[in-house]
Amino acid sequence: MSAPRAAVPGPDSESVPVRGRGMELELELGSSTQTSHRLLAYSDALLSIIATVMILPVAHTKIHPDQKLGESVQQLLLAKIAVYLMTFLIVTVAWAAHVRLFQVIELIDDVLALLNLACMMIITFLPYTFSLMASFPEVPFGIFLFSVCAVVIGLIQAVIVAYGFYHPHLLNQQIQVSENQNFYKRHILKIILRGPILCFLAAICSFFFIPLSYVLLGLVIVFPHLTRFITWCKTKIVGRRDEEEEHHSLETFTFYLSEPLSKERVEGFSDGVYAIVATLLILDICEDNVPDPREVEEKFHGSLLEALSEYGPNYLAYFGSFVTIGLLWFVHHSLFLYVTKATRLMGLLNILSLAFIGGLPLAYQLTSEFAEKSHNEIEAIQVSCVITFFASIFQFAIWTTALLHERETLHPFARYGGKEHAFMFAKLALYPCVSLGVFFLTCLLSEFSTAIFHLMQIVIPFAFLALRIFVRIALTVLRSVMSLSRRKVVLLEEEEACLSPTEPLS
């Protein structure tokens, strides 16, 4: 066997320090130690799938044709939607903890890879526990099982932390050279174990008072931000202590809203959610819109095309829903193309947007189920508009948040005054404005609600294609108006300057 050749230094040898350091460490520490890139990509894909399929029990809720959708929303869907949002956000909390955890642990070995797989196995079981919670909201076992799974996930992550600090060569460079590794270890474990402790209390309370269990699970989502707010208030009142200064120094595992996140992992997780939501639509088509061979033979005399024509509204709803998902992904892609650094607040807004993106299969089910003109169809269209509005308005909020710290978070082209600023504003504002407009039009012109909704789905792709032209025309007109107003001001100033002080202005 030939020995590995020594690296030959060259002019570009210093341009790839991270990759070079990773390869050197793998050679020094042996083949059992690897970089974590592929493990993180696999974990992001799996977590995005699990978070998205939580919508299936909600989307597949059966609504009887003789029952009004408003009553169904109140009796069946509302509780399921609330539980879906809560469980989706809890899964994203686990994903965020995973992101921060592997910002601390940069290298992995076989033990860490297997521990991560164990964590992913428990996470994949969460949709089943959610189905039990959604189908039997008054039975404690569903919420107990969900809480126990969340506790086990947290404990496995704590074991990963302990193992990483026991083998410090796996940690990032900042912590490796630090003299306070024990402080970092305690700090990270304290943050990781907050959620499992609340879930453990929720599991106990589920057998005594179920609403309290849901409150405790909700605290898992808001507790980090609540503690940060309380700490901020204490700092403003009594000042910052030395211990808090020490906490502030660890920027890779805190809950500061300005803390940077891994932009690549945010994009990877988001792409996974968009891809799975788009895939769920065709699964519903394959399951519900394939005619029975016996029915084709008896009712349609063997004509498959005639049998498929009955599913026309379903196909139209599918293509419309796919176009909506695809264009929202396109807007998301365009936005993060100009984002140079994602903060925790931007990540939180992105997660809220993805939660509503995950609700689009429900919108598809509702709009495809009520093919005939009815009050149910109007309400189904309005629900679709609401879901689309919130999915897109949170994207707009990400950009607005980035503008507040544009020097750190945005490319110069997308900043205020940049050549892409107006175009990005128009692109991000299109879906919120159109979905809100269609919602109110269906309220005023209920007889034409279907035509208005389908017209929106047809027009929006062409609007995106022509958007840059419209923006350029609007900017040209605006500049012309502003230049004319400036000329008038200059002429008035010149006329006033020409008048002598003794001449009357009348």
Side-chain angles (χ1 to χ4, degrees):
M1 293 179 63
S2 59
R5 290 184 295 177
V8 179
D12 298 329
S13 60
E14 295 183 359
S15 62
V16 284
V18 176
R19 182 177 177 85
R21 176 176 173 269
M23 292 179 65
E24 287 174 9
L25 280 171
E26 287 183 12
L27 290 173
E28 290 175 8
L29 300 173
S31 59
S32 62
T33 303
Q34 317 99 30
T35 57
S36 58
H37 300 306
R38 190 170 180 184
L39 178 140
L40 299 183
Y42 173 77
S43 302
D44 288 343
L46 193 145
L47 282 160
S48 61
I49 293 170
I50 297 306
T52 308
V53 298
M54 294 284 191
I55 195 63
L56 290 179
V58 184
H60 292 168
T61 301
K62 297 299 181 183
I63 301 173
H64 299 290
D66 57 345
Q67 186 179 17
K68 288 186 177 181
L69 182 58
E71 296 174 358
S72 301
V73 168
Q74 293 175 7
Q75 296 175 6
L76 297 172
L77 289 178
L78 198 58
K80 288 187 176 182
I81 290 172
V83 176
Y84 156 72
L85 288 173
M86 184 188 69
T87 51
F88 183 96
L89 293 174
I90 289 176
V91 172
T92 57
V93 166
W95 169 78
H98 194 272
V99 171
R100 295 193 303 277
L101 177 58
F102 281 91
Q103 285 176 330
V104 173
I105 299 174
E106 288 188 347
L107 298 174
I108 62 168
D109 58 11
D110 293 345
V111 175
L112 273 182
L114 293 174
L115 284 172
N116 187 72
L117 283 176
C119 184
M120 294 299 112
M121 180 185 69
I122 304 300
I123 288 174
T124 57
F125 195 68
L126 289 178
Y128 177 71
T129 64
F130 168 67
S131 297
L132 294 177
M133 292 169 63
S135 302
F136 305 96
E138 298 179 358
V139 178
F141 184 71
I143 192 169
F144 173 80
L145 195 58
F146 180 88
S147 302
V148 168
C149 288
V151 170
V152 175
I153 292 167
L155 291 177
I156 294 174
Q157 289 183 335
V159 172
I160 290 174
V161 171
Y163 183 84
F165 277 87
Y166 188 75
H167 300 83
H169 64 273
L170 302 174
L171 303 175
N172 71 22
Q173 194 67 23
Q174 174 193 348
I175 299 179
Q176 280 190 44
V177 300
S178 173
E179 298 178 356
N180 298 319
Q181 286 191 10
N182 288 330
F183 159 72
Y184 286 144
K185 180 181 177 182
R186 290 195 305 271
H187 176 69
I188 295 170
L189 284 174
K190 183 174 72 173
I191 292 177
I192 279 184
L193 293 175
R194 285 174 182 170
I197 289 171
L198 289 171
C199 291
F200 178 74
L201 295 175
I204 295 175
C205 294
S206 63
F207 292 101
F208 304 102
F209 190 54
I210 292 179
L212 181 58
S213 297
Y214 283 107
V215 171
L216 290 169
L217 288 178
L219 277 177
V220 174
I221 303 166
V222 302
F223 189 76
H225 309 291
L226 187 63
T227 54
R228 283 300 315 141
F229 177 73
I230 294 171
T231 304
W232 179 81
C233 292
K234 286 172 61 178
T235 303
K236 291 295 182 182
I237 295 171
V238 299
R240 180 175 289 171
R241 296 178 299 178
D242 294 338
E243 183 182 352
E244 291 172 353
E245 290 281 357
E246 196 175 13
H247 277 264
H248 185 67
S249 65
L250 182 57
E251 294 182 353
T252 55
F253 211 93
T254 63
F255 283 98
Y256 290 96
L257 293 177
S258 59
E259 174 198 345
L261 282 177
S262 171
K263 178 192 167 187
E264 291 74 19
R265 293 200 66 181
V266 172
E267 290 176 330
F269 181 79
S270 303
D271 289 344
V273 170
Y274 280 100
I276 299 304
V277 170
T279 308
L280 291 178
L281 299 179
I282 195 60
L283 292 179
D284 290 328
I285 287 283
C286 295
E287 180 182 357
D288 301 329
N289 298 292
V290 177
D292 182 76
R294 184 179 299 176
E295 184 181 355
V296 172
E297 190 66 34
E298 295 176 356
K299 186 177 178 181
F300 300 99
H301 308 290
S303 175
L304 180 60
L305 288 177
E306 189 177 348
L308 291 175
S309 64
E310 287 200 346
Y311 299 108
N314 302 70
Y315 301 136
L316 186 61
Y318 162 72
F319 285 112
S321 299
F322 189 92
V323 166
T324 301
I325 295 167
L327 290 177
L328 286 171
W329 173 85
F330 170 68
V331 173
H332 188 276
H333 165 72
S334 302
L335 171 62
F336 275 84
L337 195 64
Y338 293 108
V339 170
T340 56
K341 184 183 79 171
T343 63
R344 277 191 53 79
L345 181 55
M346 293 167 65
L348 177 62
L349 294 170
N350 184 64
I351 284 170
L352 293 173
S353 175
L354 294 178
F356 285 96
I357 292 291
L360 286 172
L362 171 63
Y364 161 73
Q365 286 286 344
L366 294 177
T367 53
S368 64
E369 190 166 346
F370 303 110
E372 299 178 358
K373 289 187 176 181
S374 66
H375 188 67
N376 279 344
E377 186 185 35
I378 297 170
E379 292 187 346
I381 290 172
Q382 290 174 347
V383 169
S384 300
C385 290
V386 168
I387 292 173
T388 305
F389 172 78
F390 280 105
S392 55
I393 200 66
F394 281 118
Q395 289 183 338
F396 190 87
I398 295 170
W399 186 64
T400 306
T401 304
L403 284 174
L404 296 176
H405 306 281
E406 58 180 17
R407 291 187 179 275
E408 293 82 19
T409 57
L410 285 178
H411 190 278
F413 285 172
R415 295 175 192 170
Y416 185 77
K419 66 178 186 179
E420 294 292 321
H421 177 82
F423 182 55
M424 280 303 305
F425 177 86
K427 190 183 288 188
L428 287 161
L430 184 59
Y431 254 117
C433 293
V434 171
S435 56
L436 197 63
V438 170
F439 178 87
F440 286 112
L441 280 176
T442 54
C443 294
L444 298 173
L445 306 172
S446 56
E447 295 181 359
F448 306 101
S449 59
T450 307
I452 293 170
F453 183 71
H454 292 317
L455 183 65
M456 176 198 76
Q457 293 179 319
I458 294 170
V459 167
I460 279 191
F462 296 100
F464 272 105
L465 290 173
L467 194 59
R468 190 176 289 274
I469 298 173
F470 292 149
V471 170
R472 286 179 178 174
I473 293 172
L475 288 175
T476 303
V477 171
L478 186 62
R479 289 187 189 117
S480 301
V481 171
M482 291 178 67
S483 63
L484 286 173
S485 63
R486 286 173 184 171
R487 285 178 185 176
K488 288 181 180 179
V489 171
V490 171
L491 289 173
L492 288 172
E493 289 177 352
E494 289 178 352
E495 288 178 1
E496 290 179 359
C498 291
L499 291 173
S500 62
T502 58
E503 286 183 322
L505 296 176
S506 60

